[in-house]
């Protein structure tokens, strides 16, 4: 185990053997593996031996800290209509983060509509999650640590050097251990769906300040139903194949996974999770980000959304019709973002319920008591 820890250290400090020797010579009882981090590893909620490193140093995957944006028309010159984007709307500002860019950076620090946020994507888990960066009166900024814990990326904040689990938004090591970031609703949809809903929306530009092969997927064929997850040490749950995608929803202490084969076949699922009534949409037209070498050539995955079906005091029921969702009460047509685009309710929006599109192994690993819809 010590040999493994020293090997990881060499990666983290760029093979600076002298630094390792100096660290070992210090009689301060600090672990030489983490001494270069200036992280308070004495305060933690996980076993440090459970951390893994896929051979990437701290900030080896560079976060985007000064994002530039383009118009829909400008982005259309290089971004395919069916390519997936992470979309976020705050205080009237709508932005799209193409997966072809975020796959290479995993973290983008930003301020949207006056709210400081961090947009994150872990390719191992297929977890695209957005958090509010404010915590206890201060604003944090985040980078990629290079560590993996529980087959999920570990972020770090630059202010305290604490380490954060991306899947949960909780600090596991460092002075902020136990703190948790507020999650914000976000969706993975196609660029065309974003453009139709927000014609004046802003799209993250390829002008990131880094040279990367944007548009190419560095995780060839990882999105494979019969594959096996990277860096996973736990026992697999046999209820679902580990690389099957699910729509994961958690209300209070209750979690439920909706397998893609079901949601793609039905398009509309009405359900209740605890006290919360829900309607789940799954439409066609969005490509997978982790399939073929070039995303524009990847297989169909679709877009999903989870909403409260109650509007103005009544509960709406929906059916799927030619790529749109139609409420039975008024015949209004709704898009994947829960917006009524035509009919008597045009201009109305359903309340979003935070959800995610994950590989099943990841959702079950972090929500082991999860229910599986349809089982």
């Amino acid at each position: 185990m010590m040999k493994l820890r020293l090997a990881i250290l060499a990666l983290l400090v760029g093979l600076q053997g002298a630094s390792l020797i100096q660290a070992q010579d210090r009689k301060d009882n600090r672990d030489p593996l983490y001494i270069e981090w200036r992280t308070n590893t004495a305060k933690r909620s996980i076993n440090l031996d459970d951390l893994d490193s896929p051979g990437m140093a701290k900030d080896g995957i560079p976060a985007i800290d000064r994002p530039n944006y383009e118009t829909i028309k400008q982005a259309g010159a290089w971004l395919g209509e069916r390519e997936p984007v992470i979309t976020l709307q705050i205080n009237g500002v709508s932005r799209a983060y193409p997966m072809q860019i975020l796959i290479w950076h995993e973290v983008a620090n930003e301020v949207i509509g006056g709210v400081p946020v961090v947009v994150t994507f872990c390719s191992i888990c297929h977890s695209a999650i957005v958090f509010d960066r404010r915590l206890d009166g201060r604003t944090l900024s985040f980078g990629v640590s290079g560590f993996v814990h529980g087959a999920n990326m570990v972020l770090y904040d630059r202010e305290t050097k604490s380490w954060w689990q991306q899947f949960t938004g909780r600090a596991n090591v460092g002075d902020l251990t136990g703190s948790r970031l507020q999650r914000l609703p976000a969706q993975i949809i196609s660029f065309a769906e974003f453009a139709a809903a927000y014609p004046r929306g802003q799209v993250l530009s390829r002008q990131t300040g880094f040279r990367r092969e944007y548009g190419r997927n560095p995780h060839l064929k990882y999105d494979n139903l019969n594959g096996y997850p990277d860096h996973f040490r736990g026992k697999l749950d046999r209820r679902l194949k580990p690389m099957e995608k699910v729509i994961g929803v958690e209300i209070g202490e209750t979690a439920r996974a909706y397998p893609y084969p079901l949601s793609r076949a039905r398009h509309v699922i009405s359900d209740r999770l605890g006290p919360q009534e829900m309607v789940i949409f799954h439409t066609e037209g969005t490509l997978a980000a982790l399939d073929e070498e070039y995303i524009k050539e990847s297989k169909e995955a679709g877009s999903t959304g989870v909403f409260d079906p109650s509007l103005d005091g009544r509960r709406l029921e929906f059916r799927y019709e030619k790529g749109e969702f139609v409420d039975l009460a008024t015949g209004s047509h709704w898009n994947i973002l829960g917006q009524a685009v035509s009919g008597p309710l045009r201009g109305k929006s359903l309340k979003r319920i935070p959800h995610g599109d994950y590989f099943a192994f990841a959702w079950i690993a972090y929500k082991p008591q999860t229910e599986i819809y349809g089982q």
Side-chain angles (χ1 to χ4, degrees), residues 12 15 22 46-48 68 70 86 120 156 160 164 176 180 187 213-214 216 236 245 303 321 334 338 369:
L12 292 176
L15 302 178
Q22 291 171 5
I46 61 172
N47 188 333
L48 297 181
N68 296 303
E70 298 180 355
I86 301 171
T120 70
Y156 78 94
T160 74
W164 300 74
L176 296 181
R180 191 167 189 171
Q187 290 175 253
E213 294 183 74
Y214 298 130
R216 189 175 74 82
L236 291 174
K245 281 184 183 171
S303 307
E321 184 179 292
W334 303 72
Q369 303 306 315

Side-chain angles (χ1 to χ4, degrees), residues 16 21 41 84 97-98 101 109 111 133-134 155 184 186 191 217 247 288 296 304 307 348:
Q16 294 177 357
I21 295 172
T41 55
Y97 297 81
I101 298 176
N109 294 289
V111 177
R133 293 192 283 124
R134 295 172 296 188
L155 312 171
L184 302 174
F191 173 52
N217 163 31
I247 302 168
K296 64 183 180 181
T304 70
F307 308 96
K348 296 281 188 176

Side-chain angles (χ1 to χ4, degrees), residues 75-87 96-104 187-195 203 206 213-217 285-289 293-303:
W78 52 268
L79 185 58
E81 289 189 349
R82 300 174 67 206
E83 286 198 48
V85 301
I86 301 171
T87 180
Y97 297 81
M99 296 288 274
Q100 66 156 268
I101 298 176
L102 206 58
I103 235 174
W104 291 93
Q187 290 175 253
I188 299 175
I189 62 174
S190 70
F191 173 52
E193 288 168 328
F194 176 80
V203 182
R206 282 177 160 183
E213 294 183 74
Y214 298 130
R216 189 175 74 82
N217 163 31
T286 304
L287 302 178
E293 181 176 4
Y294 291 95
I295 295 176
K296 64 183 180 181
E297 300 172 357
S298 290
K299 63 187 177 184
E300 169 79 29
S303 307

Side-chain angles (χ1 to χ4, degrees), residues 17-298:
S19 296
L20 172 60
I21 295 172
Q22 291 171 5
Q24 290 175 320
D25 285 343
R26 296 173 186 152
K27 304 302 181 182
D28 56 2
N29 296 319
R30 287 188 292 171
D31 191 322
L33 178 59
Y34 309 111
I35 202 167
E36 298 293 332
W37 271 88
R38 307 283 192 267
T39 298
N40 180 11
T41 55
K43 187 175 181 180
R44 61 181 184 268
S45 59
I46 61 172
N47 188 333
L48 297 181
D49 287 335
D50 291 336
L51 288 168
D52 192 10
S53 174
M56 185 64 65
K58 171 186 174 185
D59 295 320
I61 299 175
I64 299 174
D65 292 315
R66 289 176 290 278
N68 296 303
Y69 293 93
E70 298 180 355
T71 64
I72 297 293
K73 182 178 181 180
Q74 290 171 327
W78 52 268
L79 185 58
E81 289 189 349
R82 300 174 67 206
E83 286 198 48
V85 301
I86 301 171
T87 180
L88 183 64
Q89 294 78 42
I90 299 178
N91 295 334
V93 178
S94 303
R95 287 184 178 153
Y97 297 81
M99 296 288 274
Q100 66 156 268
I101 298 176
L102 206 58
I103 235 174
W104 291 93
H105 296 278
E106 299 189 348
V107 171
N109 294 289
E110 178 55 298
V111 177
I112 302 178
V115 178
V117 304
V118 57
V119 183
T120 70
F121 178 69
C122 174
S123 57
I124 300 173
C125 300
H126 194 274
S127 49
I129 305 177
V130 179
F131 299 104
D132 189 322
R133 293 192 283 124
R134 295 172 296 188
L135 182 71
D136 298 332
R138 63 175 163 180
T139 299
L140 304 175
S141 62
F142 291 87
V144 181
S145 72
F147 290 122
V148 172
H149 177 256
N152 178 243
M153 69 182 288
V154 176
L155 312 171
Y156 78 94
D157 72 77
R158 293 161 177 155
E159 289 69 30
T160 74
K161 305 299 187 293
S162 297
W163 302 342
W164 300 74
Q165 195 76 59
Q166 185 253 5
F167 207 94
T168 64
R170 189 180 295 277
N172 289 337
V173 180
D175 290 334
L176 296 181
T177 294
S179 298
R180 191 167 189 171
L181 300 172
Q182 178 188 354
R183 181 171 179 170
L184 302 174
Q187 290 175 253
I188 299 175
I189 62 174
S190 70
F191 173 52
E193 288 168 328
F194 176 80
Y198 305 108
R200 296 184 179 180
Q202 300 171 326
V203 182
L204 180 67
S205 169
R206 282 177 160 183
Q207 304 304 313
T208 62
F210 301 95
R211 298 183 65 180
R212 295 293 186 274
E213 294 183 74
Y214 298 130
R216 189 175 74 82
N217 163 31
H219 311 284
L220 180 63
K221 291 294 185 181
Y222 184 63
D223 189 342
N224 179 356
L225 183 61
N226 296 312
Y228 192 88
D230 288 344
H231 307 288
F232 184 73
R233 301 182 185 180
K235 183 178 179 180
L236 291 174
D237 189 303
R238 298 300 177 185
R239 290 178 291 174
L240 294 172
K241 289 187 176 182
M243 300 299 287
E244 183 172 317
K245 281 184 183 171
V246 301
I247 302 168
V249 185
E250 184 176 31
I251 304 294
E253 300 299 319
T254 307
R256 189 169 296 153
Y258 299 83
Y260 259 40
L262 273 176
S263 59
R264 288 185 68 179
R266 296 188 185 182
H267 296 294
V268 176
I269 296 175
S270 294
D271 200 14
R272 174 190 288 270
L273 191 57
Q276 179 66 60
E277 296 279 357
M278 300 188 304
V279 60
I280 295 165
F281 292 169
H282 196 151
T283 191
E284 302 164 345
T286 304
L287 302 178
L290 302 172
D291 179 34
E292 295 292 347
E293 181 176 4
Y294 291 95
I295 295 176
K296 64 183 180 181
E297 300 172 357
S298 290

Side-chain angles (χ1 to χ4, degrees), residues 342-356:
S342 67
L345 297 180
R346 182 178 179 179
K348 296 281 188 176
S349 295
L350 300 175
K351 179 183 177 181
R352 294 186 183 184
I353 295 175
H355 79 287

